[in-house]
Amino acid sequence: MIDVKEATNTLLANLPFLSAETCPLGDAHGRTLRQAVVADRDLPPFDRIMMDGIAFHSSAGGDIATKGMRFPVLCLQAAGSPAQTLAVKAGCIEVATGAILPVGADTILPVEDIESHGDHVLVPPGTSFAPGKYIHKQASDHPAGTTLLHPGTLLSPKEIAVAASCGCAQLEVSSLPSIALVSTGDELVPIHETPLPHQIRQSNAHTLAAAILSRNLGQPHLHHIPDDPSELESHIQHLLGMHDILVFSGGVSMGKKDLLPQVLEKLGVEKVFHWVAQRPGKPLWFGKTQDGKPVFGLPGNPLSTLTCFQRYLLPAGDAMSARTPSHLLQIPLAEPFHFAPPLTCFLPVALTHSAGGTQAIPAPAHNSGDYSGILLTDGFLEIPARTNEAQPGDAFPFFPW
């Protein structure tokens, strides 16, 4: 049995990288960027006006402080129109937010600081102004050629906005692998069926599919195989040829019906590790095919399945996609918690927020089959095995559900 750190490092060292593919920008949300996105021109590309109002040259505003000013309105500078020219230095140009700064102007007064009278405006005495105020200077955000998005970036709406502004109609992103989510066990029936007293509905595969789709890590396909060696062998052999990743739920512990490890070995899947010193989820299995496809065997108890998926498979999906790892928050406990080592404890917690910051309230499930017991929790803390009594204020890595 290996510890959590060794399991994580071993897993990440045995994963393939997914290929890259070209994706239309409209379909790129939630994908992992595999190219750099570079500013194709200055940002902003011109001196951009930030307020509706008037533009004039500061040298014409000398009497505003004492007498106020009367400016004739020469023309309108609308957004999307070529730059007008301030032909009369004592005049002004009406301007719109987002418009280019007129040639010869260096000062903006917003509409709330002026009185409009048709062909002229009045500026009351004492109105303050400053050259450059309300002007978003060309290239002040980024000059042309600046790398704005780096490979490995998860594309959320704000990244899509940047890519669109740079003219990226298509982006190179990580491909979405086909993922087989396989529930094993004679006790399982489809969710639309009424179980007999000794049966339960298939829930784990639906849980895992939702988690995969929420992170856009692949295309999940749900399967079920009963606890029969010949059926397991024939079905798994077929699935190995169809999918890029296989994830099993159940069949990896020590019971007589836990047949998955030997069936996978018979089919040529190399075991990388089996059994991790953690609770829940100790009988975690990981291996790979001869051509490098990863195969995961998760414990069948629902809480164990979900916890192992969040702790190992989501980081694995990020790594395979060449996605920049997300930062794990360290959140302190609000209450003491005792557990028996030497197993790493994945403790379900509910987060509470106050002026003093975020804290985690322990909410341990009754057992690893208690999937409904985590409904009021936000995720789990990873408390290392060496910690016997965790005290309030002790901070640990937090994994959100």
Side-chain angles (χ1 to χ4, degrees), residues 291-371:
D291 57 353
K293 292 181 180 180
V295 180
F296 301 88
L298 307 183
N301 281 326
L303 184 55
S304 299
T305 297
L306 181 58
T307 301
C308 287
F309 188 88
Q310 297 288 344
R311 179 57 182 82
Y312 296 102
L313 271 73
L314 289 185
D318 287 347
M320 292 176 66
S321 300
R323 184 177 295 181
T324 302
S326 55
H327 175 68
L328 282 178
L329 297 176
Q330 299 275 331
I331 297 183
L333 281 169
E335 303 171 3
F337 180 73
H338 174 84
F339 70 101
L343 301 179
T344 295
C345 176
F346 298 133
L347 173 66
V349 293
L351 300 184
T352 179
H353 310 279
S354 66
T358 300
Q359 291 184 305
I361 300 174
H366 294 107
N367 54 67
S368 57
D370 183 19
Y371 51 85

Side-chain angles (χ1 to χ4, degrees), residues 108-344:
I108 304 296
L109 277 178
V111 290
E112 52 264 35
D113 289 348
I114 62 175
E115 298 174 7
S116 181
H117 297 275
D119 63 351
H120 69 279
V121 296
L122 296 177
V123 182
T127 301
S128 63
F129 69 93
K133 190 176 183 181
Y134 305 124
I135 299 171
H136 193 183
K137 296 294 290 181
Q138 180 175 344
S140 60
D141 292 340
H142 299 284
T146 303
T147 297
L148 302 178
L149 300 176
H150 296 271
T153 300
L154 176 63
L155 294 169
S156 73
K158 64 181 185 294
E159 286 82 20
I160 297 295
V162 169
S165 72
C166 294
C168 297
Q170 296 181 319
L171 290 172
E172 188 176 79
V173 297
S174 294
S175 60
L176 293 176
S178 176
I179 305 175
L181 301 176
V182 188
S183 297
T184 66
D186 296 333
E187 73 278 16
L188 301 176
V189 299
I191 58 174
H192 61 271
E193 292 186 9
T194 301
L196 296 173
H198 59 280
Q199 296 175 322
I200 57 175
R201 292 187 177 94
Q202 300 167 12
S203 62
N204 287 348
H206 295 279
T207 303
L208 301 181
I212 289 170
L213 292 173
S214 71
R215 292 279 287 271
N216 208 19
L217 290 173
Q219 300 166 327
H221 302 270
L222 279 59
H223 304 271
H224 173 249
I225 309 174
D227 291 325
D228 177 86
S230 61
E231 288 204 47
L232 280 167
E233 184 176 341
S234 62
H235 277 75
I236 293 173
Q237 188 170 34
H238 178 64
L239 295 175
L240 287 170
M242 289 177 57
H243 302 287
D244 304 305
I245 302 170
L246 271 68
V247 181
F248 293 90
S249 173
V252 292
S253 193
M254 300 179 67
K256 290 184 178 181
K257 291 286 190 175
D258 291 309
L259 306 170
L260 190 59
Q262 57 259 45
V263 171
L264 289 171
E265 182 180 358
K266 186 176 180 180
L267 291 172
V269 181
E270 174 193 353
K271 181 186 77 173
V272 177
F273 65 77
H274 189 190
W275 303 98
V276 182
Q278 60 191 16
R279 183 185 293 121
K282 187 162 61 172
L284 177 65
W285 191 98
F286 171 67
K288 58 183 180 179
T289 63
Q290 293 179 356
D291 57 353
K293 292 181 180 180
V295 180
F296 301 88
L298 307 183
N301 281 326
L303 184 55
S304 299
T305 297
L306 181 58
T307 301
C308 287
F309 188 88
Q310 297 288 344
R311 179 57 182 82
Y312 296 102
L313 271 73
L314 289 185
D318 287 347
M320 292 176 66
S321 300
R323 184 177 295 181
T324 302
S326 55
H327 175 68
L328 282 178
L329 297 176
Q330 299 275 331
I331 297 183
L333 281 169
E335 303 171 3
F337 180 73
H338 174 84
F339 70 101
L343 301 179
T344 295

